[in-house]
Amino acid sequence: MTELYDLAKRDRLAFWADQAHELYWHKPFTKTLNWSDAPFAKWFEDGQINASYNCLDRHVLAGLGDRVALFFEGEPGDSKVFTYSELLAETKKAANALIALGIESGDRVAIYMPMIPETVIAILAVARIGAVHSVVFGGFSSDSLRSRIDDAQAKLVITADGGFRKGRAHPLKEAVDQALQEGNCPSVEHVLVVERTKNDVTFGPKDTWWHDALSNAATEHVAAGFDSEHPLFILYTSGTTGKPKGILHTTGGYLTGASYTHRTVFDLKPNTDVYWCTADVGWITGHSYVVYGPLANGATQVIYEGTPDTPSFERWWQIIAKYHVSIFYTAPTAIRTFMKIGREIVEGHDLSSLRILGSVGEPINPEAWNWYKEVVGGSRCEIVDTWWQTETGSIMISPIPGAFKTKPGSAQRPLPGITIGIVDELGAPVEKTAEGSVAGYLTIDEPWPSMLRGVWGDPERFKETYWNKFPGKYFAGDGARFDEDGDIWLLGRIDDVIKVSGHRLSTAEIESALVEHHWVAEAAVVGAKDEITEQAVVAFVILRQDEIADAPSETDIAKILRDWVTQKIGAIARPRQIMVVTELPKTRSGKIMRRLLRDVAEGRPVGDVTTLADSSVMTAINDKLHLGASD
Ligand code: WT7
């Protein structure tokens, strides 16, 4: 694998063209990159390609139709196997069903589903006909779903009656009904509903069962090629403002990035490996490393519907043993959870099939890294700590197995073809010394195929968020430093984005949800350090005295407001703690000083308060906390 570094160094664009040539092109490209309209990139622009064809038809035509594509494990214990031929047959029917509902190339389709095979089929069917999917994580509330449907102007929603989570049938169709009620989301013409849990659902004139639509659909469907820059999907992610951004990815470049990184970082041997990524398809990791990367590479993979603790914490390890998983990809939060429970639960299972272990979503601390290596990996597996983002589309920084010695806690080097920088506030590269560098801002210095192509409907926001801070460079929003060997250490977000269990949340979005409640006059949200989830949501609120005259006690208020955030955004954004305060620390220009609130939330002595307009505020907040009036 080390030769990839040399190849990419010698001729970066030729290297990317080679990676793209691993895919099937309906019409070959002659131009690799057009960067003349930077930061709007065009990769392989005169080529035509079909993502679904590359994930399915290509393998079946190569004689691999009987290879298992998906081992599905349902939470209640049911399981199902799909070969590549079977997955293709279902996808063709689903594509025809979408066409019958009037979906055309370029139309947006929202997908709000549990982790079941139909979700993968739905995604591949949408892509197959050139429509654009917008997957919304099933844990998001109906309000979040509604704003995403509206922003993308989705014509169709694909959902399920429910999904199994933590031993319960978690409803989904109900949330779709709520999102669409009272004439909301007028762009939606149809709703397709997969039957999974047999929950009671109400059917209206827009609703059709998935199984009816598929059984009425023609079985043959010939996939056409689309321009390489044809939109493939939109995925909403949190930024520094209250409104999530629709990150846009296009076909040829994205698929090149997802497949190249999947086979390289995981050292994939498609005919022998069994791969399992625990991410939900609602996140970018599920897009690139459950759907597009593994399937484009003809991998055999496991998908699991539920949570790691159902019916017990044995579940994941049983699944690894049952399917002889050899490549496993998960988040540090999960590792830390198991560390806390104790190694016995892992050690009781035969995990000898494992050979590569991946980590993603947040920095992995050296203790968790070592535990992962030793307890899960039996000290024999390679660990790959992979840094990337929704926006980058695929892994940017990671060791390549066997290429060099790994280091606990460091994502180490940019992948071949990727150019990374660390700069100071003025954009000057931080100086590398024998001891390593100081911390700076992480940048990506040259365009790459799977880069985002924009923010849906907002080209200005795209330029402003990612390209204006350091002209010509992509600004990632993370802090980082080089160590003495030139290896990269990620230091977390430097903006108001927080990571809770690897999930990305915006403090501003949670604040605006809180102030939508009539009790709340003002809110400030911070990410406080958490032993398991890396960060946790802690909110400080000022109540409106006129509105709370007969409100319950402060404890009840906190509980009600925490529920409110769950209802507004989703359970992942639920504050760990809400503190009722009478004032918030602000500078003279009125900016909330979150640094001080973080000190409070993390139980530290409060730092420098000299820039506060009123320095007694922090004393008041602290005194109040010591009286025990928190959540
Ligand atoms: C943010 C992106 C990438 C897929 C899942 C998250 C953080 C991600 C790492 C890592 C340190 C990491 C960064 C990044 N992050 N992976 N290996 N080490 N930090 O995608 O939701 O778009 O979040 O996750 O802060 O900016 P995302």
Side-chain angles (χ1 to χ4, degrees), residues 332 335-336 339 364-373 383:
I335 307 299
R336 289 193 292 264
M339 267 173 90
I364 178 163
N365 45 314
E367 301 73 34
W369 194 102
N370 283 319
W371 197 90
Y372 198 20
K373 170 121 188 159
I383 309 269

Side-chain angles (χ1 to χ4, degrees), residues 237 283-285 329 332 359-364 385-392 397 411 476-478 490-493 497 499 502-504:
T237 190
W283 309 109
I284 190 70
T285 309
Y329 193 27
S359 171
V360 63
E362 44 185 316
I364 178 163
D385 174 14
T386 63
W387 179 91
W388 59 296
Q389 310 175 299
T390 306
E391 292 87 340
T392 68
I397 308 177
D478 280 49
L490 277 315
L491 303 171
R493 300 287 310 193
V497 168
K499 301 285 314 214
H503 298 145
R504 177 163 159 183

Side-chain angles (χ1 to χ4, degrees), residues 334-354:
I335 307 299
R336 289 193 292 264
T337 305
F338 283 105
M339 267 173 90
K340 200 166 170 195
I341 298 170
R343 55 200 298 157
E344 297 73 26
I345 220 150
V346 180
E347 286 171 344
H349 300 273
D350 177 8
L351 307 182
S352 59
S353 54
L354 288 173

Side-chain angles (χ1 to χ4, degrees), residues 497-527:
V497 168
I498 59 177
K499 301 285 314 214
V500 178
S501 298
H503 298 145
R504 177 163 159 183
L505 298 168
S506 143
T507 52
E509 191 183 354
I510 303 170
E511 286 164 4
S512 55
L514 281 165
V515 296
E516 273 177 54
H517 195 286
H518 68 106
W519 288 345
V520 180
E522 230 182 308
V525 167
V526 296

Side-chain angles (χ1 to χ4, degrees), residues 229-351:
E229 284 298 337
H230 187 78
L232 180 63
F233 66 85
I234 305 167
L235 184 61
Y236 287 84
T237 190
S238 300
T240 48
T241 68
K243 194 172 169 283
K245 302 180 279 237
I247 302 300
L248 174 68
H249 283 287
T250 59
T251 314
Y254 171 79
L255 201 62
T256 299
S259 56
Y260 153 65
T261 52
H262 178 259
R263 66 177 170 266
T264 307
V265 170
F266 299 110
D267 180 34
L268 181 76
K269 315 252 186 286
N271 46 352
T272 50
D273 273 318
V274 177
Y275 165 86
W276 181 23
C277 165
T278 63
D280 189 283
V281 183
W283 309 109
I284 190 70
T285 309
H287 284 61
S288 304
Y289 300 108
V290 176
V291 182
Y292 290 110
L295 296 177
N297 289 334
T300 293
Q301 70 176 317
V302 172
I303 61 171
Y304 170 55
E305 179 182 29
T307 56
D309 57 351
T310 307
S312 78
F313 278 109
E314 309 273 336
R315 194 65 190 266
W316 275 12
W317 319 110
Q318 286 166 344
I319 293 175
I320 292 177
K322 174 173 173 188
Y323 295 103
H324 308 291
V325 172
S326 55
I327 306 172
F328 182 61
Y329 193 27
T330 195
T333 295
I335 307 299
R336 289 193 292 264
T337 305
F338 283 105
M339 267 173 90
K340 200 166 170 195
I341 298 170
R343 55 200 298 157
E344 297 73 26
I345 220 150
V346 180
E347 286 171 344
H349 300 273
D350 177 8
L351 307 182

Side-chain angles (χ1 to χ4, degrees), residues 35 38-39 387 389 419-430 439-448 451 461-480 493-495:
W35 189 231
W387 179 91
Q389 310 175 299
T419 320
I420 296 283
I422 301 177
V423 299
D424 65 19
E425 185 61 39
L426 299 172
V430 291
Y441 300 98
L442 188 79
T443 59
I444 308 178
D445 297 352
E446 277 166 318
W448 65 101
M451 64 198 283
R461 192 169 175 196
F462 169 62
K463 287 196 217 162
E464 198 189 292
T465 312
Y466 304 105
W467 302 95
N468 285 359
K469 189 165 170 74
F470 304 117
K473 296 177 176 183
Y474 170 85
F475 167 54
D478 280 49
R493 300 287 310 193
I494 49 88
D495 51 13

